Amino acid sequence: MITGKSKKWIYNVAVILIFAALVLLALPSLQRAIDRAHQEIKPKNGVVEASAEPSALDAEPADAQSEFEKVGETDRLELMFRSSDSAIVVKDKKNGYKWESAVPLEDVETDGNELWTASSQSVFHLTFTDPSLPALETQETNSVIEQPKMKAVSLENGISVHYDLPRLQISFDMSFQLKGNSLEVTVPGKSIKESRDNWVMAIAPLPFFGAASDHKEGYSIYPDGPGALSTFKTNHPNYLNPYHASVYGSDTISFNNYQRQQNALLPIFGLKVGNNAFLGMITDGAYDANILYSPSGYLINLNRVSSELVYRREYEAVKKDGNLTKKPEKNLIREDHTIRYVFFSGEEADYSHMASAYREYLVNEQGLTSKIRKEDPIPYGLDLLMGIKKHQILFDDFIASTTFPQAQEMMEDLKKRGVESISANLLGWTRKGYLEYPSGSVPSGQLGGLSGLNKLSDYTKNNKFQLFLQDNYVDAWKGSGGFSTRSDVVVGANHFAVTDRYSEMFNLNAGKQNLKFQGDVLDPLSKLGITGINFDGIGYQDYYDFNKDYPLTREGTAMQWMEMMEKSSKKFGGAAAVGGNGYSILKASRLFDIPMEDSGYFFTDETIPFYQMVVHGLIPYSGYPQNLFYDPQLQFLKMVEYGYMPYYQLTKNFSEDLKDTYYSDLFSSSYNNWVDQSVQQYKEMNEKLQPTWSQSIQVHRKLQKDVYEVVYGDGTRVIVNYLPREIEIDGLRIPDKNYIVVPKGG
């Protein structure tokens, strides 16, 4: 007689047997990948062909090292290639270290997860979708699962591989080529072929390149805000999500600014393993790319950082029943993508040298020039809120927080107090006031009109002060007028205007704004002695625009904005940007709102000033106004550590007047309340730090918890102590919550 307990036992055994059979049937190629037993056919006349079809050789794993052949060499590096699965190894000849695309199996800790063990051996990850499905469903696969047919062609110091995935009927090329001390990985856009049933969404080249286990010493860096660092650690949780950020801002336009994560301002990522490191930088196709950092504990116990190349995005489509659904964009983004890996070893293997390498790339290859002269003093950063509307039931009330004559009086007072250089920026200077967009270009009569602004600009020009007029040519409010909600705004892939849930907020088409900018803004202001326009909005977002009159890619949108900055520079001598996205660096003579903090991901261990190390000494920049910070002394120390100019957002009148406006966040802004402290800090920074203002930051490092050191180009050291007690380092005493400057040679 079979008891209930016996029945349960028989049922469990049956389920286990069925599951095991399914695994064996579905994943035969994975075991072959794990054993690295693939058929290999030797090169013939510079061409290598490899097939994924199983053979008798699959039963006997070959020695992994003997499978690799050298396909490229420079003075610094060797490139090795394995034809059976296109795995690569980059050998640093300086110390013999090997960077591998396939993780050594002894380092893979997956708790028996064969799928991720195999994934760790893959050369690419591929995200695809079936466009015929009623709603978007993406699937991810990789080179190990698909076992593509491959054809490799030799290049100078490298190799190009054509991948054909028969199951999906998708194919593309990927090349690996050494140049100096770097490896360039390129996916040509024209090489991608896809089938009717399977569309390419994204390709991630070398997803496990250099991946490190928990037992290695090192860290990953990723461009979250100014930069973020995550160390390798043996004690960590199982993470639910990785860091996954679209370069230059989210693909989705959001009208909620309160919960926005920090941008990936630069298209970079990096990895340090022991005394070796690399910096990855996307040199082509950055506008359609993501940066991925997966800490150990996310799906597999390996720390890895890489890029993902975007070929399609999703959008909201309207179904026949009126409901919304996600669909893939119809057209493939056919652009070339190149990721450059720059390698470091020994004392160079740190994020400071990574930042220096990216800085050199911008200067030597992208034409970035310095906007700071050696003798320049550190500027006093001064934002002035001029006017803003208070919306009321019958008539709006214009609040004049600072008139043009009052702004001049404040600058005259600062000059008398010993301020040598001022970088001023006017908010809400038009008759519509601050945060009313489009705001037009007519100076408010209640602030002093065009004649008042002209006198102010003459004063700043005669005293060699900077004066920027901030405006926003991106955002638009329906009630503000001056634009068409049908033809002038950004349109999504669903052919509807992109707007908020109330159809009140829009984004303006960059091409049309560029065309209007010359006649509507520059010409009317051409006689002013200002430094230039400060472009709000362009530095923290980027988007595709399917406007039928002026369609633009993300790169196209950014290029229109950059043309507007160029026009400002030609007309007035300068241009500024709020937000700091990487494309704005090349055209800006001043940068605003450069973040000091990352987004606060649970796996992030440190915020690092990677962005600041790239631009310091080249472009003046400011962060968050010090008068709006919860701890002014902490903010001051952060400005010193990160190389910011002192920066305040002030008004002549009291901030209580702003209570019922859209800018009630400016809670402490009266000039009289802040002038003494701000001038004292300005003088202190100029006295101690002026020689460093035009120099690059060569080294930034953590000496101990809450103590950091910054080393400039001439050897000047700045040690910042955030601790509530005095400390001693190398015989030097640093007071509590303070800093010291050690001159070069000291």
Side-chain angles (χ1 to χ4, degrees):
M1 180 178 179
I2 300 176
T3 64
K5 190 173 183 179
S6 299
K7 289 180 179 179
K8 186 176 181 181
W9 182 84
I10 293 171
Y11 173 79
N12 289 337
V13 170
V15 169
I16 291 171
L17 290 173
I18 292 171
F19 179 77
L22 289 173
V23 170
L24 290 173
L25 288 172
L27 303 175
S29 63
L30 297 184
Q31 189 58 49
R32 295 197 303 275
I34 297 165
D35 294 334
R36 292 182 173 178
H38 303 284
Q39 182 178 5
E40 179 178 358
I41 299 178
K42 299 296 182 181
K44 297 178 181 179
N45 299 323
V47 177
V48 180
E49 293 189 4
S51 171
E53 296 300 323
S55 75
L57 295 177
D58 290 324
E60 295 291 337
D63 175 54
Q65 189 61 38
S66 67
E67 296 176 350
F68 284 95
E69 295 188 13
K70 184 165 66 175
V71 294
E73 184 173 14
T74 65
D75 291 341
R76 175 70 181 269
L77 304 172
E78 286 184 5
L79 176 62
M80 311 295 289
F81 176 76
R82 187 167 62 199
S83 61
S84 58
D85 59 357
S86 75
I88 66 166
V89 173
V90 177
K91 179 182 176 181
D92 190 335
K93 294 161 63 175
K94 197 169 183 179
N95 61 4
Y97 188 80
K98 295 177 180 177
W99 295 94
E100 302 180 70
S101 66
V103 181
L105 291 178
E106 62 269 19
D107 292 340
V108 180
E109 300 176 14
T110 58
D111 296 326
N113 188 329
E114 292 187 339
L115 183 62
W116 277 96
T117 300
S119 181
S120 70
Q121 309 299 296
S122 58
V123 178
F124 63 81
H125 284 180
L126 170 71
T127 304
F128 65 97
T129 188
D130 182 349
S132 65
L133 296 174
L136 176 67
E137 293 182 16
T138 60
Q139 299 181 62
E140 186 172 301
T141 187
N142 58 57
S143 61
V144 173
I145 290 176
E146 295 303 324
Q147 293 284 280
K149 295 180 179 179
M150 294 174 290
K151 185 175 182 179
V153 178
S154 297
L155 303 174
E156 181 181 1
N157 285 323
I159 197 163
S160 177
V161 184
H162 177 74
Y163 298 96
D164 184 4
L165 286 58
R167 181 178 73 91
L168 302 177
Q169 294 182 293
I170 290 174
S171 63
F172 58 92
D173 294 348
M174 189 184 301
S175 66
F176 311 94
Q177 197 166 15
L178 297 181
K179 294 184 179 180
N181 70 330
S182 65
L183 167 73
E184 289 197 347
V185 181
T186 299
V187 179
K190 65 181 180 181
S191 72
I192 300 174
K193 303 291 189 298
E194 55 188 7
S195 66
R196 182 181 63 182
D197 298 327
N198 293 302
W199 285 5
V200 175
M201 297 294 290
I203 298 172
L206 304 183
F208 284 85
F209 187 66
S213 68
D214 297 341
H215 306 291
K216 300 290 180 64
E217 182 180 346
Y219 53 73
S220 298
I221 68 161
Y222 35 100
D224 185 22
L229 180 150
S230 179
T231 58
F232 308 156
K233 54 188 76 72
T234 56
N235 186 17
H236 58 74
N238 290 324
Y239 299 103
L240 297 177
N241 295 295
Y243 172 79
H244 184 282
S246 177
V247 174
Y248 305 142
S250 172
D251 291 336
T252 304
I253 296 176
S254 172
F255 295 97
N256 179 4
N257 294 329
Y258 299 103
Q259 296 180 343
R260 178 191 291 145
Q261 75 173 42
Q262 295 287 356
N263 267 18
L265 297 173
L266 301 174
I268 60 92
F269 54 93
L271 190 71
K272 171 181 168 64
V273 185
N275 292 322
N276 296 275
F278 71 70
L279 170 71
M281 59 175 83
I282 305 173
T283 56
D284 291 311
Y287 293 90
D288 296 294
N290 301 321
I291 303 298
L292 309 177
Y293 165 59
S294 298
S296 180
Y298 176 67
L299 301 176
I300 186 173
N301 283 335
L302 286 170
N303 300 279
R304 64 270 190 206
V305 61
S306 63
S307 60
E308 182 180 53
L309 315 178
V310 178
Y311 294 97
R312 271 192 183 83
R313 293 178 169 86
E314 63 181 43
Y315 70 95
E316 284 191 338
V318 180
K319 298 193 295 185
K320 292 182 179 180
D321 60 7
N323 292 320
L324 296 176
T325 184
K326 298 284 187 182
K327 297 288 285 184
E329 293 176 351
K330 182 178 180 181
N331 295 323
L332 183 79
I333 301 171
R334 286 201 179 277
E335 66 178 348
D336 296 345
H337 287 89
T338 298
I339 308 101
R340 181 185 300 177
Y341 295 81
V342 183
F343 298 95
F344 311 88
S345 61
E347 294 182 354
E348 296 181 347
D350 57 31
Y351 62 80
S352 297
H353 285 84
M354 296 181 198
S356 294
Y358 193 70
R359 177 191 180 100
E360 290 174 8
Y361 162 73
L362 293 178
V363 171
N364 297 333
E365 299 185 41
Q366 298 299 304
L368 176 62
T369 58
S370 178
K371 310 302 189 297
I372 303 174
R373 296 172 299 181
K374 186 175 181 180
E375 66 275 9
D376 285 349
I378 300 175
Y380 179 108
L382 177 64
D383 264 17
L384 291 173
L385 178 62
M386 310 303 287
I388 190 170
K389 285 184 178 180
K390 180 186 290 186
H391 293 280
Q392 301 180 127
I393 295 176
L394 295 178
F395 300 102
D396 293 339
D397 186 17
F398 187 91
I399 307 297
S401 296
T402 311
T403 65
F404 298 133
Q406 287 174 332
Q408 182 172 331
E409 291 173 9
M410 293 162 69
M411 293 187 204
E412 289 173 344
D413 182 57
L414 289 171
K415 183 180 179 182
K416 289 178 182 178
R417 291 170 180 262
V419 174
E420 300 178 58
S421 177
I422 297 175
S423 179
N425 177 47
L426 305 187
L427 309 171
W429 52 276
T430 70
R431 62 187 180 186
K432 288 187 179 182
Y434 188 44
L435 299 179
E436 291 281 339
Y437 306 126
S439 59
S441 59
V442 180
S444 169
Q446 292 174 261
L447 300 176
L450 181 60
S451 62
L453 180 57
N454 192 39
K455 290 178 181 178
L456 175 62
S457 66
D458 285 345
Y459 170 80
T460 56
K461 186 175 183 179
N462 291 336
N463 285 274
K464 298 182 179 179
F465 295 161
Q466 288 187 333
L467 181 65
F468 291 98
L469 303 182
Q470 181 169 320
D471 210 343
N472 188 314
Y473 306 102
V474 177
D475 301 318
W477 287 75
K478 187 175 182 180
S480 296
F483 74 103
S484 168
T485 59
R486 296 176 63 87
S487 60
D488 292 338
V489 300
V490 172
V491 175
N494 56 9
H495 305 297
F496 290 100
V498 178
T499 184
D500 67 327
R501 65 175 64 183
Y502 306 109
S503 297
E504 295 287 338
M505 302 175 69
F506 298 85
N507 286 106
L508 297 170
N509 175 267
K512 292 192 173 186
Q513 285 298 298
N514 188 8
L515 293 174
K516 294 173 61 177
F517 183 64
Q518 181 73 43
D520 293 358
V521 180
L522 292 184
D523 289 345
L525 302 177
S526 60
K527 295 183 179 180
L528 294 176
I530 62 174
T531 308
I533 304 298
N534 181 17
F535 294 85
D536 190 8
I538 70 170
Y540 51 79
Q541 60 187 326
D542 192 16
Y543 40 73
Y544 262 78
D545 188 352
F546 295 85
N547 184 300
K548 65 179 181 180
D549 297 330
Y550 219 122
L552 293 168
T553 63
R554 279 169 63 96
E555 182 175 7
T557 295
M559 290 303 100
Q560 294 293 329
W561 291 335
M562 294 308 97
E563 282 189 24
M564 294 169 71
M565 293 186 73
E566 281 191 50
K567 290 176 181 177
S568 173
S569 294
K570 288 180 180 178
K571 183 73 72 173
F572 303 115
V578 178
N581 271 350
Y583 48 77
S584 63
I585 292 176
L586 300 177
K587 304 298 180 182
S589 51
R590 170 88 157 83
L591 293 168
F592 288 78
D593 200 23
I594 303 305
M596 291 184 172
E597 300 293 338
D598 55 69
S599 302
Y601 288 98
F602 189 65
F603 43 73
T604 297
D605 295 298
E606 293 281 347
T607 306
I608 58 173
F610 192 97
Y611 187 98
Q612 289 81 356
M613 296 177 75
V614 170
V615 301
H616 192 277
L618 296 173
I619 307 172
Y621 55 89
S622 57
Y624 195 64
Q626 189 169 358
N627 55 300
L628 301 182
F629 203 72
Y630 68 92
D631 186 334
Q633 179 61 17
L634 178 63
Q635 176 80 342
F636 179 65
L637 292 180
K638 186 66 75 170
M639 287 194 301
V640 169
E641 181 193 349
Y642 280 24
Y644 289 89
M645 68 172 68
Y647 174 59
Y648 294 83
Q649 193 168 101
L650 303 176
T651 58
K652 181 61 178 177
N653 299 324
F654 290 104
S655 57
E656 286 83 350
D657 297 341
L658 308 174
K659 181 179 178 182
D660 297 319
T661 70
Y662 286 129
Y663 204 49
S664 57
D665 291 345
L666 192 60
F667 56 84
S668 178
S669 64
S670 173
Y671 174 78
N672 291 333
N673 291 342
W674 284 97
V675 62
D676 290 337
Q677 177 181 322
S678 65
V679 170
Q680 182 270 323
Q681 290 184 341
Y682 164 81
K683 288 183 176 180
E684 178 182 330
M685 290 185 72
N686 255 295
E687 179 184 342
K688 295 182 177 181
L689 296 169
Q690 186 278 330
T692 69
W693 182 241
S694 60
Q695 297 186 50
S696 62
I697 298 176
Q698 293 294 309
V699 177
H700 177 275
R701 57 182 165 228
K702 182 178 181 179
L703 299 180
Q704 63 182 64
K705 180 176 173 56
D706 294 329
V707 181
Y708 296 87
E709 180 183 54
V710 181
V711 182
Y712 287 90
D714 69 350
T716 300
R717 299 161 59 203
V718 179
I719 303 176
V720 182
N721 175 22
Y722 292 94
L723 294 170
R725 65 180 185 277
E726 182 181 81
I727 61 171
E728 183 175 336
I729 294 178
D730 297 334
L732 301 170
R733 290 189 172 275
I734 305 98
D736 59 293
K737 294 186 178 180
N738 214 316
Y739 70 99
I740 64 170
V741 178
V742 185
K744 54 184 177 181

